[in-house]
Amino acid sequence: MFSRFRAALYLAGALFTCASLRADFVTIAQPNPAYLSGTTLVDFTEDDFTLVGSLSAGGQTLSYDNWLDVRTVPDSWGVWGAPPATETATPHVGTTDGEAELTITLSRPASIFGFELEPDFFATEETTADFYSGSKLVGTIDLFPDGNGGALLFAASTTTDPFTSVVINDLAGNDFAIARQRFALASVATPEPATYGLFGLSLGALYLLRRRRVS
């Protein structure tokens, strides 16, 4: 009986561990063909110096907590990056116009979300992007884009905690521009049993095992 008890506890622990390991956050370093073909582009198409508070495409709306000022590379925003680090060297961009932080809120949860970013100043500046699912921090991307033509991609995918918002911070305290925002909508799946539910199932199995032994 003791060995069966230990086996049941081992099963419960394994189930608990598997449930804990389901959370994932996979960064995407460059806009490769799989990323481009598997996502929908939300682009800045307005005239230069237009202020936008949100953009929509493909059933998704991206809302910004600060107004973004639309510019075009190289006409009203000097330089960007170049493939393979970015999609194009001449994108339309949205600048934070003096703000070092920007929150992007998604109207629908996404399994993939990404954007390119470049600082305003001609310098390398550490920048972070915190990806959230509701109030839960799913993961953080920490990169060093260069304002002198060194835009980088901040993108990630998840299969467990769909993204609902992203908080961007230029740690140097300067403003920046973003471009080529992309997403893939999260699929609707049947909810899995909670971790404690799985643990309870194992204990229930142990209880039945003990009853059969007694009878």
Side-chain angles (χ1 to χ4, degrees), residues 40-47 50-71 92-95 102-108 113-116 177-183 185:
T40 299
L41 174 65
V42 184
D43 205 6
F44 295 97
T45 58
E46 294 76 10
D47 294 334
T50 300
L51 296 178
V52 298
S54 64
L55 292 177
S56 298
Q60 178 73 272
T61 297
L62 306 179
S63 300
Y64 313 109
D65 66 334
N66 298 314
W67 291 93
L68 296 183
D69 188 359
V70 177
R71 305 292 180 89
H92 296 282
V93 307
T95 77
L102 176 69
T103 297
I104 305 174
T105 301
L106 289 68
S107 63
R108 299 175 65 184
F113 185 69
F115 55 90
E116 297 173 8
I178 62 171
R180 311 301 288 182
Q181 300 165 102
R182 288 185 171 275
F183 72 91
L185 292 176

Side-chain angles (χ1 to χ4, degrees), residues 17 23 36 43 72 79 86 88 110 124 141 154 164 166-167 188 192 204 206 215:
T17 301
L36 297 180
D43 205 6
T72 305
V79 290
T86 63
T88 173
T124 299
I141 298 177
F154 291 71
T164 57
V166 178
V167 179
V188 178
E192 296 182 358
L206 173 63
S215 59

Side-chain angles (χ1 to χ4, degrees), residues 116-212:
E116 297 173 8
L117 182 148
E118 184 184 77
D120 188 1
F121 286 73
F122 283 3
T124 299
E125 297 182 354
E126 183 177 7
T127 305
T128 61
D130 295 327
F131 288 67
Y132 286 89
S133 182
S135 60
K136 177 183 179 180
L137 177 61
V138 184
T140 298
I141 298 177
D142 189 343
L143 297 176
F144 293 81
D146 187 344
N148 190 17
L152 295 176
L153 176 67
F154 291 71
S157 67
T158 180
T159 60
T160 58
D161 298 283
F163 307 132
T164 57
S165 65
V166 178
V167 179
I168 308 166
N169 273 287
D170 182 315
L171 301 186
N174 299 319
D175 57 349
F176 53 87
I178 62 171
R180 311 301 288 182
Q181 300 165 102
R182 288 185 171 275
F183 72 91
L185 292 176
S187 59
V188 178
T190 303
E192 296 182 358
T195 299
Y196 290 109
L198 291 173
F199 189 77
L201 286 174
S202 298
L203 292 180
L206 173 63
Y207 174 74
L208 290 176
L209 228 158
R210 294 185 64 184
R211 282 187 56 114
R212 289 192 57 176

